[in-house]
Amino acid sequence: MKNTNTPFAKPFTPKQIQRRIQHLPACLFLCLITSFLLSNCAEEEPQRKELHILTINDMHASIDQFPKLAFLIDSLRNHYPDLLVCSAGDNQTGNPVNDRDSISGMPMITLMNAVGFDLSVVGNHEFDQGTKAFAQRIKAARFPFICANMFPPDSLNLDVQPYCSLTTKEGLRIRILGLLQLNSRGKPSTNPDSVSRITFRSPYALAREYRSLKDSCDIYLALTHLGYEEDQQLADTMKDAPFDVIMGGHSHTLVKEPKIIRSSLITQAGSDLHYASLIHLIWEKDKPLSRTAEVLSIDQVSGTDPKIQERIDKMNRNPFLNEILAQNKDTFPSEEQLGYFMADAKKFATGADIAVQCFGGVRLTHFNSETFKRKDIYSLDPFDNPLVLFELSPEELTNFLEEAYQRNWQHPTFTSGISIHYDKQKDPEKPVITYQVTNKKVRKKKRYTVVLSKYVADTYRFTHQDSGKVLPVKSTEAIVEYLKSKKLIPSYKNVRRFTTTP
């Protein structure tokens, strides 16, 4: 492994030993062999061996939590000197201090190196800033990235291995397989342009192909970025060669009481560095492997690492990101109100009849500040997608809204220019969708201009005769323009642009 701080070391092979001693004097050679044989006779293999793992997932560049995380890791390593620290993916995207660094995402790698991460699986948001930036981060990391179901061409310089092999000081042989989620189009959920040159295959198929790894180790682990339900499906897929533990991410699920499901212990620890999972594995000869896990609250860690805190403070002193763009008349209590605000900004900046902001693109759960700073906008919308303008008929718009409802986990779409009604009486999972254009009647023959993010335009499957026009404005630029124009943002607290039946 790249990380020189790792508590694991591979033993020398017989050939390596032979090469190292072939030039030694004969008497010294005999002393070495005698010492080796005596030590082997005197020391029996331990009957009980332990492995302790701290797993964290979906950190999303939550750099302000690293002083507490560093303190936690140091404290745990006082109890478990051989502690293995793993990330289950999505280290990136969520804090502009990290995302908009001169080498995008490098602050997170610097911090992960500093606190002693040993391993990371590739998450879908590792690709958000493009493969060139990802390759630079991989090179700078003092820990490896793993993923078995991605196949990049050599020209991209993405040094990602399918799995990791480790041997503990006690002699435990560990194999860790990495797996990444794919959407309905067979790609990870990121900007499609960022992964256009990479081949991906089903994580379940690849897990089956690597099942022989289980025969070559004492403990077989999966480090995944699939989602909690998908991890259960993975456990189902691997019944004949089960993972001892599946350490998961992607769905942001907080598994408070990890359980063994279909022969595998499955863990996941929420998101944004609020929690971590501490896994305890005890191997005893001729006994089943003991597997337990507990959830630790990083928020409640009482101490901080002062050196890491000093680094974070320096990163946060950024005049450009701290620029105040507008005042707020009120707070934003939820994603819904923030979504309407984002849609209004897109409509304002493009002059479209209708603007759409899908639930998954709103990356803050609430906003209570009296001002909007530039860094707040980049946190709310870290993806900064180009905007695409379509001309859609009423039927095409309905089809899009149906697709958006399903793609956003059956969550209503945030809009500007229309209000939507979801009738769930016949089928709650596939409601009948109708809408009203603001202050206008829907006209069957009219084609409405609708602005979407390029990610939505490229990945959602909906009927449209118009191929769309990519505009020379990105989503965050639209929001900044809206803020600077308004200067005082009105209250969205009581705004609601959809209704449901029942």
Side-chain angles (χ1 to χ4, degrees):
M1 295 178 65
K2 292 182 182 178
N3 187 352
T4 56
N5 297 322
T6 178
F8 301 97
K10 292 184 179 180
F12 288 121
T13 65
K15 288 185 178 180
Q16 288 174 320
I17 294 174
Q18 186 177 3
R19 284 198 299 268
R20 286 170 177 264
I21 65 177
Q22 62 183 350
H23 299 298
L24 293 175
C27 59
L28 182 55
F29 172 81
L30 290 174
C31 289
L32 286 170
I33 292 296
T34 302
S35 174
F36 176 78
L37 292 174
L38 288 174
S39 65
N40 273 358
C41 294
E43 296 181 13
E44 294 184 2
E45 183 181 357
Q47 298 298 301
R48 176 187 169 99
K49 303 175 184 178
E50 298 184 6
L51 176 65
H52 304 276
I53 309 171
L54 187 73
T55 63
I56 300 156
N57 57 277
D58 300 275
M59 292 187 284
H60 289 295
S62 299
I63 63 173
D64 293 321
Q65 289 284 81
F66 263 80
K68 287 189 173 185
L69 176 63
F71 186 87
L72 174 64
I73 290 173
D74 285 345
S75 300
L76 288 172
R77 281 187 167 143
N78 286 332
H79 293 281
Y80 311 115
D82 293 346
L83 180 74
L84 182 65
V85 181
C86 297
S87 167
D90 274 7
N91 308 317
Q92 300 296 329
T93 305
N95 188 323
V97 172
N98 172 77
D99 304 341
R100 292 178 175 263
D101 188 70
S102 56
I103 300 178
S104 184
M106 196 59 76
M108 271 297 291
I109 296 299
T110 302
L111 291 168
M112 292 173 74
N113 285 341
V115 304
F117 272 79
D118 296 293
L119 185 64
S120 177
V121 73
V122 175
N124 54 296
H125 287 296
E126 263 62 76
F127 299 103
D128 286 351
Q129 296 88 10
T131 53
K132 182 179 179 181
F134 187 21
Q136 291 174 309
R137 296 196 300 268
I138 292 173
K139 186 176 181 180
R142 295 202 296 266
F143 53 88
F145 282 84
I146 59 172
C147 182
N149 62 314
M150 65 172 281
F151 303 89
D154 292 342
S155 58
L156 292 181
N157 297 314
L158 295 176
D159 184 12
V160 175
Q161 302 302 315
Y163 65 91
C164 184
S165 297
L166 305 169
T167 302
T168 69
K169 291 177 181 178
E170 292 180 328
L172 273 178
R173 298 167 303 159
I174 317 298
R175 303 290 182 267
I176 307 175
L177 186 71
L179 297 169
L180 168 64
Q181 69 85 216
L182 303 180
N183 59 28
S184 60
R185 296 196 173 190
K187 299 286 186 180
S189 297
T190 185
N191 185 340
D193 295 340
S194 296
V195 292
S196 61
R197 297 176 59 193
I198 303 175
T199 300
F200 297 92
R201 290 180 55 199
S202 162
Y204 309 109
L206 264 295
R208 296 288 300 164
E209 291 182 17
Y210 279 97
R211 63 187 183 277
S212 61
L213 286 176
K214 187 173 177 67
D215 298 329
S216 65
C217 62
D218 302 304
I219 297 177
Y220 190 32
L221 307 173
L223 188 60
T224 73
H225 195 78
L226 300 175
Y228 186 60
E229 291 184 3
E230 290 76 5
D231 282 340
Q232 295 179 52
Q233 183 179 344
L234 176 65
D236 248 348
T237 302
M238 299 295 289
K239 285 180 179 178
D240 59 335
F243 296 103
D244 294 308
V245 185
I246 298 175
M247 306 173 289
H250 184 59
S251 58
H252 297 194
T253 307
L254 178 60
V255 184
K256 292 184 178 180
E257 296 181 3
K259 297 177 182 178
I260 294 175
I261 299 175
R262 291 179 280 282
S263 301
S264 296
L265 180 69
I266 301 178
T267 69
Q268 193 172 155
S271 66
D272 302 308
L273 273 177
H274 295 300
Y275 297 94
S277 295
L278 181 60
I279 301 164
H280 308 280
L281 303 172
I282 300 175
W283 180 94
E284 292 186 82
K285 192 173 182 179
D286 300 325
K287 290 185 179 181
L289 181 70
S290 171
R291 298 169 287 174
T292 58
E294 57 185 307
V295 173
L296 305 180
S297 172
I298 298 175
D299 290 337
Q300 294 180 10
V301 171
S302 58
T304 59
D305 183 310
K307 291 184 178 179
I308 298 296
Q309 185 64 63
E310 185 178 349
R311 289 192 187 193
I312 302 302
D313 292 342
K314 185 177 180 180
M315 291 177 183
N316 283 328
R317 290 193 290 269
N318 186 313
F320 175 74
L321 294 176
N322 288 315
E323 177 191 359
I324 295 175
L325 301 174
Q327 303 290 322
N328 294 318
K329 194 173 182 180
D330 211 337
T331 61
F332 293 79
S334 73
E335 296 102 328
E336 183 180 342
Q337 285 71 41
L338 287 164
Y340 296 144
F341 160 73
M342 295 168 74
D344 284 349
K346 292 178 182 179
K347 185 175 183 294
F348 173 85
T350 63
D353 297 322
I354 299 163
V356 174
Q357 174 61 54
C358 290
F359 174 72
V362 183
R363 304 304 282 191
L364 295 179
T365 59
H366 60 279
F367 190 72
N368 295 329
S369 176
E370 294 180 352
T371 61
F372 262 124
K373 296 181 180 179
R374 191 178 290 272
K375 68 178 181 182
D376 300 324
I377 302 310
Y378 297 151
S379 297
L380 176 64
D381 178 9
F383 308 115
D384 201 16
N385 273 291
L387 298 180
V388 182
L389 192 68
F390 287 89
E391 286 191 357
L392 301 180
S393 69
E395 293 80 8
E396 290 172 335
L397 180 54
T398 298
N399 181 251
F400 169 79
L401 295 173
E402 290 170 345
E403 167 73 356
Y405 184 78
Q406 297 302 327
R407 289 293 296 268
N408 283 273
W409 310 282
Q410 299 181 355
H411 194 286
T413 302
F414 308 134
T415 59
S416 179
I418 61 171
S419 56
I420 307 172
H421 181 73
Y422 298 89
D423 187 343
K424 300 182 178 182
Q425 293 183 89
K426 290 184 178 180
D427 188 345
E429 294 186 359
K430 293 183 179 180
V432 176
I433 296 177
T434 56
Y435 60 88
Q436 170 95 31
V437 179
T438 304
N439 301 322
K440 296 178 183 178
K441 290 183 179 180
V442 177
R443 293 187 293 173
K444 291 184 179 180
K445 294 185 178 181
K446 180 174 172 60
R447 300 187 70 82
Y448 294 95
T449 53
V450 182
V451 64
L452 312 172
S453 73
K454 191 172 186 298
Y455 172 79
V456 170
D458 288 346
T459 60
Y460 284 29
R461 294 177 176 173
F462 63 102
T463 57
H464 52 94
Q465 291 183 4
D466 181 17
S467 59
K469 177 184 178 183
V470 179
L471 302 176
V473 60
K474 292 186 175 181
S475 54
T476 55
E477 294 169 355
I479 299 173
V480 169
E481 181 183 341
Y482 182 66
L483 290 172
K484 287 186 172 181
S485 174
K486 294 294 183 182
K487 296 183 180 178
L488 178 64
I489 303 304
S491 175
Y492 279 79
K493 186 171 285 187
N494 297 317
V495 174
R496 182 159 242 215
R497 296 173 184 166
F498 71 87
T499 55
T500 60
T501 303

